[in-house]
Amino acid sequence: MMKEWKKVMDEMLADVDMKPSLDSIDTKQVTAKWIKEYLDGVLSLNHFQDYWKRWVPRLYSPTLNESCLNWSFNEDDTNRIMFTPLEEFICNGDPAVVLAAMTQLDKPPSVCGRVFKLGEPTYSCRECGMDNTCVLCVSCFKQSQHRFHKYKMGTSTGGGCCDCGDKEAWKKAPFCDIHIAGTIRGDADEAAVDDGGGGIESTTTTPTATAAASADDASKGLPEHMAERTRIAFDAVLWYAYSLLTSEYSVEFISRLPDENMQENDSYCTILYNDEVHTFEQVIGTINRVIKCSQRNSIEYVTNIDREGRAVVKCSDIQHCNEVKSQIESITSRHSNKPLKVIVVHSYIVAHQIFAMKLLSWLQAFLAHGEAFRAIFTEVVLRPRSGYSILKGIMTSDSQLWKSARTHWHRLLISGMLLEYENKKALAKVFTKNYGSVMKDYIKDDHDHSFSISSLAVQLFTVPTLAHHLIANDDALFILLNTFISECSRKCNAVGKLEFEKNVSIGNFKRAQYILYDLRYLLSSIPDKWTDDMRRSFLQGLSILLNLITMMQGMDPVTRQIGQHMEYEPEWESPFNLHIKLAYCISLVLKWCGTDKVVLVKAYRLTLKKLQENPCYDPNEQKDLRELCNYSVMCLNYDVSTKPVSIHLTLSRFLAGLHLHLEKFELSFDGPEFDMPKPNPVQLIEPVLRTQVMISQVHAGMWRRNGYALLNQLYFYHNVKCRTEMLDRDVTLLQVGASLIESNEFLIHLLNKFNLINWANSGFESVILRNREDDSTRQTIYLLEEFLQLLIVIIGERYIPGVSNITTEDRIKKEIIQHLCIKPLPHSELNKTIPDDLTHETGLDDVIEELAVFKKPNQTYGKGVYELKNIFFNEYNVFYYHYTREELSKSEEEQRKRRTNAGELECCPPPQLPKLNPSFNMIVNLLQCDVMLFIMQTVLTRANNLRAMSFSEPQVHKTLHLIGYALQEEESKNYPFLLFSEKAVRYKIPSLVEELLSCPRVEAHKALVKWVLRKFKDVLRTDESTASTSNTTEVTEKRPLDKSDDEEKERRAKKAAERRARIMAQMTAMQNNFIKENAQMFEEATSEMNRTETTSSIKMDTSLPIDEEPTALGPNQSTRLNVEKQLVCILCQEEQMITADGPTMVLAAFVHQATVLCQNRGYEEIMDVSKQDPLYLHANLGPAPHTSTCGHVMHSACWQKYFDNVRLKEHRRPYRLRHPASFDVDKQEFLCPLCECLSNTVLPLVPSLSTIQTSYPKNRMAFDDWLFCIQTTTSKKLKVCHGTFKCQEDCSNAHCNACENASNSGTEPDSPIDSDSATCTIQMHQVYQSSSHEHLKQDFGDKAADFLALFPPQHSELSSSLKEMIQLYTQVTYTRGLNLNPHPSDRRLAPMAWKSCSYTIHSIETILRESKKPLLGSLSSRQRDCLESLVRIMGVLGRTWPRSIVISSHGLRLLSILLEVPDKGPSILQWDTFGFLIPLTFSLPSLFSLDEPAPIPTGGTLELHTLRLMFISHIVKILIQMDMKEVAATGMETEDEDEQGMNGVFDVLKLMRKQVENVSGRAVWSRVQEACIPFLRCCVLFYHFLTDVPAPSALLESGGDTFETMCAYLDLAREPNQLFGSARVLEMVERWIRHEDVQMYLLDKTSVFAVKEPLKLNHLVELPQDYSELINTVSSFTCPNSDHEDSRNPTMCLVCGEVLCSQSYCCQTELNKVIIGACNYHAHRCGAGVGIFLRVRECEVMFLASPHRGCYVSPPYLDNYGETDQGLRRGNPLHLCQERYKKLQTQWLSHSIHEEIARYIESSNNIVPAQWQHL
């Protein structure tokens, strides 16, 4: 048949016409021709292919030598030419009209069947779903009842479909509101469905016959001719696509083309295929090297290969293509043994394959038009041709296809065959029949399971009726198990047991284990009714399963190592991985067996037969005779400590599971049904008993030399993942043995296996005395404890259905109670303690509310926990068999504490046990048999004998626990044969227990001894007084203290009180003597303490109790506090006073570029720091350097030494180990030595500025006069050339100020600057300089003296170390703020430091405003230290240069911008007022100090007038932006007298030509006051720390930062007439308004960028309350670089809300010559390298510090139990927690993302660093 297809393809390639024009084709004629041929009965596949072979190469062929990444097809032409004729042929008319009419006539679909794409959100109902594979799509879920139930969210791995409308998938509400309309059917349809649903009965119909009948019925909705045309078209499309996509082509096919076509179209394609062996990097490098393309193009090629499964990497002639192929194979074969798959094919074949996949997509969409089309499709794919159907061919050829081709076929089959039951049934039968070959192909393949046709199993085997039909009629169970066992047989050793070798690849075996998942799906629905066919087929499959578990019985045995440690760890993981996957299937098989007596009997017989044929013992080996208490027993001879033991006993445990169902059908082990050769009970329990002894010996320390492999096995043996089919079954089998074997014999067998027969002998103590140092004694004591523990488990663990009359719900309750007795647990941890096979979906939720109370979390990042209700503490069992040793200890301690607090006995008595089923009643007899009583007697006797060496507390504790069990069971009267109390008296057990009360050895268990004695009295009823008080049956009771106990307690308490009194008297006398002897020292200490307290009070209380409110600025400035600080260095621990000339102390600090406060991130020009003026802070508030500190103090010398050591250490560290570091020393980063906070510089501590420069004489110069002088000075400035060149000759920095300063060393310039020199026109050498005093005095007139007095020349010196640290800090703000390398003499050093200061103050003010804290009353120590140090550093910054010409030039330039308002300069809208105020404040004092260091601002008149000038500009900016119509609409009613003083506002508004009619001046001013608040708050913070003037009390309280209060503190005018009453001010305002940008803004606010005042608080994006809304929103997000392919990891920026394609090569970008991911690049644009993202499908927040650092943190979404769900592993409904999101918001606003990342990396234990740059 393959030859026929190839022949068709050869013919198709032979007569290709390359000349037709796209416009020459008339599709109507083509359709008419096909219809005519159809009517004539001659239409065939060839007619369609003749048409396709003519046009496909024309439309889809790659272009020769063109980049394959640039391929594009004209979709309009292709649809018109290729697909429209098909639709017109089927419809015989306009397809749109015909199909629309059919849709109206057809019933609405009752089944959704939406095929999920990769990453698409899915929802499953935990209450209604039959299993967790039953899911809904978003649309159906939103319209269903399940949205109000307990549902789970998840993301699809691709390939599944929505189960809405499938009645077998849901317990209730199977339809959503959309699809319920399609449930109205006729009686005939219902009957057909019912017949299909019960399809378990034997049937001889084939899938083809069934599908044909179904198609005939379904296609009745179509006209007969239309149905036939549809069959012909579908047949042509499917066979064409199948032959193209599943056949291998080579050059030999092309050689059959005519020569003219070969010469004209000699183009071939080199196709590179995907595999799972080579990495992305290897393939990228290979393509880059071979194709000679860019890195970006290589990444695109690899992305296409990964997404599609293959990609054409070269289109050229055959020789060139073969060369490329050879090179790729040669290079990739070096990476691994297997080279990449590369083929060379003709471009026509590529074109036809592209078209074939488009045909499949078209067909998938076309099938949605009705059920009739899907029925015909099913008929066509099942119709055999030459004995081979398309469906079978697709399945058997699946592994030959590439990803995209596979996906197209899979989606087509799901869309066409899974919506109707009969179609699905036909598909399932073919799938089951070919399952073996499909899985064999998958095992040999290397693609993920989701891309294999075998993944359809979950869609087919999870339908209950379909699964039962396949088992009964198609031998599905046999086929699955036979396929798997064929793979297992390759892993068997010589004795037929599975054996796994270390370091041998088991990849194929791991892939084969997917069969076990399919087996689980097949068995997931337990049948209610059985048929003979089902019994036969099930038992046939069971026989194969028994062969498998026989292979596993005894696999991976271990032998105790003696002498030396194990050299190599054995392979233990593979057996456990196999068990974990098979265990659930075994549990399901046991449930199946438990529903039918016939099946159960045959399964039990088969299992017994297997055990008989595969004994774990030698039948011919001689047994050992053991005697104890006059009982003789023949025991199996097997020493666990010397012979191999296996923990894998699957066959024995399977029998234990079957045995639990016998009693239900009145069967027994010795019944006639099982009269056959079989192992006896002793032989049955032998392998399990060996395992228990081995575990006990491990606990006793006897297997230490066996390494960690054995410990890991024991861990998983007890772990919740494995224990259901391991530990629990072992306990059950031992309980079976205890019920079948005589009790004394059973105990002797146990003692023999534990090697404790000698311990029971009376001479054992004498043997110990002779061998005191022997380890065997200690080991024997431990083994006895383990033996008693095992007895407690066998007797007491009855919460297993079948052992006692309990349900699965009772079992879950017991598990919950036991774990809540350890501590309160959150829901997620509680859920982990219960096996999956018990909980299903709502098992925990069904019982938890009855047992526990939910406590909501108290803290932001806490978890809600469940606390057990008091009434259930009585069921606590201290020796619960699922406890680890740690859990046992913790639970006992917690329960003892709880009982003591409740006034109960401080002990943990055994709980009341549930009643055993009759077949297990003999377990209770263990408690009263002679051997047990003898063991109890021996333990108690040796405990009372203080010389006995074999005593241990756990022995006594466990023995008392067993006695308690016996007494309670006797008291319950459930077992008439139980007479423990009488027999115990004969063995003197009550008296021995009573003796324990006086035994000092068991002090910790005295309370339990009392409880046991009382229980004895209750049972024996020895006297009337005791009987009258023993009327309770509860396990725990209030502590009734005897009179003797009360007296003894009182006596001891009295003695203790007397002793405490004596000790206290002695201590008092000693203290008095010491004080007398050291009186002088105490006086000095007291005075020092008082002085310190006074100083501290001054430091802490920033407000002074004075009559007048303090004023920070101007001639009315209040007294400046000067507090001396003495701090301790955290490195050398020495105290140091902060002075200007003493040793310098520093704070660890961190500076980074920030955009958190940016008001608009959409303007790239504004966000580009290179285009901003560094002199002032832009109105957008960034990007700008932010400074923070942890507040820890060091000497500068100590810090320098510490940093040098860190740098040396990091450089010595191997490079491969340096990546995970939380800091980069090459970027000058380090961690604070104390708190490990990330730092990259230091903030030098500067003393109070008043100590360095005292306040200037009070100057009451009027603001108007000052403004006149400043304007005059500005107008008289000179643009001069500095005239000297002290910088290097090759210096290219246009901002270098070395020449202007003449040097930084303090030397004088070679030639002084001539202030009268010509104007300098060369910008690089241009300096602003003020005219001399003499020239200006005559311009100032009588104001000269007052004005020049504002600039006194005096100054004091700073220490060289302080200057060095200040310059170090300024270099960091310069390098981080401008992203430049350090430069010691750049004129932008000071402006960048000023910008950092203003931005940081803005930041702190924003945090305080957002948290609604007092402005100065709630500053954290970090904020206070940062502000204080930063402002003081800025104050003395000018002193670090010997001349202030640069700073003076900055001041004149600022004044020029502000007062002259040049047209090409910035307008008032473009600067931030406070960001302009800071540099102006620090540069103005040096206006006339060109040859001296810059003076320090003191808060005098100069600073006051500077602030007032900026305050006026800020008000003008607010008025420019104010909407007068809005003010008029919301204006307030005012009296005339309220309007007094408002003229100044109207004067300014008139200058702006704004309409002021019907506008209240008071309303306008009220808005101005409100808008000024953020600016004034920043000013208060700044001037408070600049002047050290204490703040008024109002600013220390919430809500005290009013306009009036802050203006009073800053001595600012509060009325507009006071501010704008001057003609000079109005003239200045008019200049601001005349600026071109302002005029444009007044005409159209959208034409010019402007930040609205007041500055808004930035917030993270608003997130939906329900997480499902968010995940649904991004479900439609497509990768912007991958032709609208769905993004695998959509990630949302929480700053701006943009959704990105994360962790994918397709969206990587090159930045600074480094390839980075989409999130990193976005963080660079949006956050200056810092980003905060929400990975939507993983539900986790990601912090990024681009490009190499990042961390994941908890998301702000919580489930109903107060827990996060990172990775959506639990899938519970999630809702936004506002507190958590607010904390995230605070972290972002406080610029602490860098710190959080560093702390995460420091605390992380990940050895392999994450590749953050790829995200």
Side-chain angles (χ1 to χ4, degrees), residues 1185-1209:
H1186 176 271
T1187 302
S1188 60
T1189 178
C1190 61
H1192 293 126
V1193 187
M1194 299 167 278
H1195 286 107
S1196 61
C1198 295
W1199 168 77
Q1200 191 65 58
K1201 184 178 179 181
Y1202 164 77
F1203 179 68
D1204 291 343
N1205 289 335
V1206 169
R1207 181 162 49 189
L1208 186 62
K1209 176 183 175 183

Side-chain angles (χ1 to χ4, degrees), residues 96-110:
V97 175
V98 175
L99 294 176
M102 285 191 58
T103 303
Q104 291 179 355
L105 294 175
D106 194 17
K107 294 184 293 290
S110 62

Side-chain angles (χ1 to χ4, degrees), residues 1593-1664:
S1593 57
L1595 294 179
L1596 304 177
E1597 302 169 358
S1598 295
D1601 52 345
T1602 63
F1603 181 84
E1604 288 76 13
T1605 304
M1606 292 188 288
C1607 284
Y1609 179 64
L1610 299 172
D1611 200 20
L1612 287 173
R1614 283 163 258 185
E1615 293 295 328
N1617 281 358
Q1618 298 172 351
L1619 294 169
F1620 300 103
S1622 165
R1624 184 170 282 108
V1625 171
L1626 290 176
E1627 181 185 347
M1628 178 179 61
V1629 170
E1630 187 177 7
R1631 280 199 296 272
W1632 292 337
I1633 297 172
R1634 282 202 308 265
H1635 193 283
E1636 182 182 0
D1637 289 348
V1638 177
Q1639 291 298 312
M1640 290 175 62
Y1641 181 84
L1642 289 172
L1643 292 173
D1644 181 10
K1645 291 186 177 182
T1646 61
S1647 61
V1648 178
F1649 172 80
V1651 175
K1652 187 75 174 175
E1653 296 287 347
L1655 297 175
K1656 64 180 178 67
L1657 285 172
N1658 282 353
H1659 290 91
L1660 298 177
V1661 295
E1662 187 175 348
L1663 294 177

Side-chain angles (χ1 to χ4, degrees), residues 166-340:
D166 185 352
K167 294 181 180 179
E168 296 192 68
W170 309 98
K171 299 173 186 175
K172 58 182 180 181
F175 301 98
C176 69
D177 295 342
I178 300 171
H179 297 104
I180 199 170
T183 58
I184 304 173
R185 299 180 179 273
D187 296 337
D189 291 337
E190 284 288 348
V193 172
D194 291 341
D195 180 63
I200 299 173
E201 299 294 335
S202 177
T203 177
T204 57
T205 58
T206 63
T208 306
T210 303
S214 168
D216 289 340
D217 294 338
S219 62
K220 289 178 182 178
L222 294 178
E224 181 180 352
H225 287 291
M226 185 175 183
E228 186 59 30
R229 289 194 304 273
T230 303
R231 287 188 184 91
I232 294 173
F234 282 8
D235 189 66
V237 167
L238 288 169
W239 281 105
Y240 169 81
Y242 175 69
S243 60
L244 257 299
L245 299 178
T246 58
S247 300
E248 293 282 347
Y249 292 96
S250 59
V251 181
E252 62 179 282
F253 294 109
I254 308 302
S255 63
R256 302 177 187 176
L257 287 173
D259 290 340
E260 59 270 15
N261 286 335
M262 287 291 294
Q263 295 172 1
E264 196 169 336
N265 300 290
D266 189 20
S267 61
Y268 288 79
C269 295
T270 304
I271 305 178
L272 182 58
Y273 283 78
N274 176 60
D275 67 14
E276 303 300 327
V277 177
H278 297 84
T279 65
F280 263 76
E281 287 75 14
Q282 289 172 347
V283 183
I284 289 172
T286 301
I287 293 176
N288 200 353
R289 181 175 172 184
V290 175
I291 309 298
K292 303 294 191 297
C293 60
S294 66
Q295 180 81 358
R296 178 63 198 167
N297 286 348
S298 298
I299 291 174
E300 286 195 42
Y301 276 122
V302 175
T303 303
N304 290 337
I305 294 170
D306 178 62
R307 186 177 63 250
E308 301 292 333
R310 73 173 195 176
V312 176
V313 295
K314 193 66 181 177
C315 186
S316 184
D317 58 77
I318 188 170
Q319 181 178 357
H320 193 184
C321 287
N322 279 324
E323 289 176 0
V324 171
K325 174 187 175 183
S326 300
Q327 291 178 21
I328 292 176
E329 289 177 339
S330 174
I331 294 173
T332 55
S333 62
R334 303 171 196 164
H335 300 148
S336 64
N337 295 329
K338 178 183 175 183
L340 277 171

